[in-house]
Amino acid sequence: MDTLETRELRYFMAVAEELHFGRAAARLGMAQPPLSRAVQRLERRLGVTLLERDRRGVALTGAGTVLLNEARAALDAVTAAARRTRRAGGPGSGERLVLAVKAAASHELLSKLLDAYAAEPGAAEIEVLPSGICEQGEMLRDGRADVALMHTPFNSLAGFDSEELLTEGQIAILPAGHPLAARGTLSLDEVGDIPDLPLARWARHGVFPPGPGPEIHDMTQLAQLIALGRTAAVIPESARAWLWAEHAAVPLTDAPPVVTHIVWPAHSRSRALAELIRTATRL
């Protein structure tokens, strides 16, 4: 039997992520015994052991790890299909595209793209959806977005089609009154070793890297903490657009270049999306 139901994939995912049948059952809003039976039936149908169970708890087998990754992708695809279908059949007859962008990034490029595309005959409505760090890929996979502006080396483009739009350097953002703010340039080592100004920490896939700097959840929080002299940040050159008077930007001599890409699901057949991509590559 090669056919899997979305319900049993959701059941297995809950257990695989929680590694505890009781917590998984509570998360799903069901009793534990039927959840255990459902996972056992799935193992029998597939002919493999997905979970090792003993008195110490639950652990994924190699086969279980494969199914967890595949289940996430499959459920994202199902959710994406529902979301994009609803958008296509929503109020009004025109097509609408959702464009995911990292907040405060590529502001000038985004403005040019939206203006140029709006001037095209029959242009679709574009909804701009701000995202957090490294969230654009997930938004494309689960259908919250149809297209995204993504930035390497920070974002992974694996599994998507893309076109390069812009390459730029990086800058350090410091409090305007800090002694290093008067420097013409800085290195990454210098920025990363300021005793009184630890670098801000952004979550990647829900996990904050270790370090003494504050955990940052949005650009407004970051801007305020820099202005207060509590942290510094390394960001692309184009993010100068959101700087406050209390901030100073210093170019970095050895930071890797940041490349902005327009990115979309490889299977997309939207004519409106194709025209948006053509417009972006002509900028």
Side-chain angles (χ1 to χ4, degrees):
M1 290 288 291
D2 292 330
T3 302
L4 298 174
E5 298 179 2
T6 57
R7 175 180 54 83
E8 58 190 352
L9 289 180
R10 294 186 192 279
Y11 286 179
F12 169 73
M13 269 187 60
V15 178
E17 291 175 347
E18 299 290 344
L19 293 178
H20 190 282
F21 277 90
R23 290 194 298 268
R27 169 174 152 182
L28 292 164
M30 63 186 297
Q32 182 174 332
L35 175 60
S36 298
R37 291 194 294 270
V39 173
Q40 289 170 353
R41 285 196 297 270
L42 178 59
E43 288 179 313
R44 287 196 298 270
R45 287 179 58 212
L46 293 174
V48 297
T49 300
L50 300 171
L51 301 165
E52 297 287 357
R53 310 159 177 86
D54 58 30
R55 286 177 294 180
R56 291 174 296 177
V58 178
L60 281 169
T61 65
T65 300
V66 170
L67 183 59
L68 176 58
N69 293 331
E70 296 290 344
R72 284 172 174 156
L75 292 175
D76 277 348
V78 170
T79 302
R83 284 173 168 158
R84 292 189 175 116
T85 300
R86 281 196 294 268
R87 278 203 293 275
S93 57
E95 186 172 359
R96 179 166 64 96
L97 296 174
V98 177
L99 170 61
V101 298
K102 187 173 71 175
S106 305
H107 177 76
E108 183 178 354
L109 174 65
L110 176 61
S111 295
K112 289 180 178 178
L113 173 59
L114 294 177
D115 289 346
Y117 179 67
E120 294 291 334
E125 176 189 352
I126 302 291
E127 177 186 345
V128 177
L129 185 60
S131 74
I133 297 294
C134 295
E135 287 183 349
Q136 302 100 308
E138 182 181 341
M139 296 166 90
L140 287 178
R141 281 187 286 270
D142 68 16
R144 283 176 288 168
D146 303 298
V147 59
L149 295 184
M150 294 169 65
H151 314 276
T152 57
F154 309 117
N155 296 116
S156 171
L157 307 183
F160 301 119
D161 284 344
S162 65
E163 290 282 352
E164 291 186 13
L165 301 182
L166 174 70
T167 299
E168 60 184 317
Q170 298 194 66
I171 54 177
I173 305 301
L174 309 171
H178 194 276
L180 291 179
R183 292 274 297 274
T185 60
L186 289 168
S187 69
L188 284 173
D189 284 344
E190 288 174 317
V191 174
D193 191 29
I194 307 175
D196 59 336
L197 210 61
L199 280 174
R201 293 183 294 136
W202 293 94
R204 297 290 179 87
H205 309 294
V207 178
F208 286 94
E215 295 181 354
I216 301 300
H217 300 277
D218 58 55
M219 297 302 292
T220 301
Q221 177 198 13
L222 176 63
Q224 186 170 40
L225 289 176
I226 294 174
L228 291 171
R230 302 299 179 88
T231 191
V234 173
I235 59 177
E237 175 78 25
S238 60
R240 285 178 182 269
W242 65 264
L243 296 187
W244 297 0
E246 296 88 348
H247 300 155
V250 183
L252 293 168
T253 58
D254 57 351
V258 176
V259 182
T260 300
H261 306 252
I262 188 166
V263 185
W264 65 96
H267 63 270
S268 177
R269 297 295 180 270
S270 165
R271 284 183 290 182
L273 175 57
E275 185 56 40
L276 177 66
I277 294 161
R278 282 193 292 270
T279 300
T281 57
R282 291 196 297 261
L283 293 177

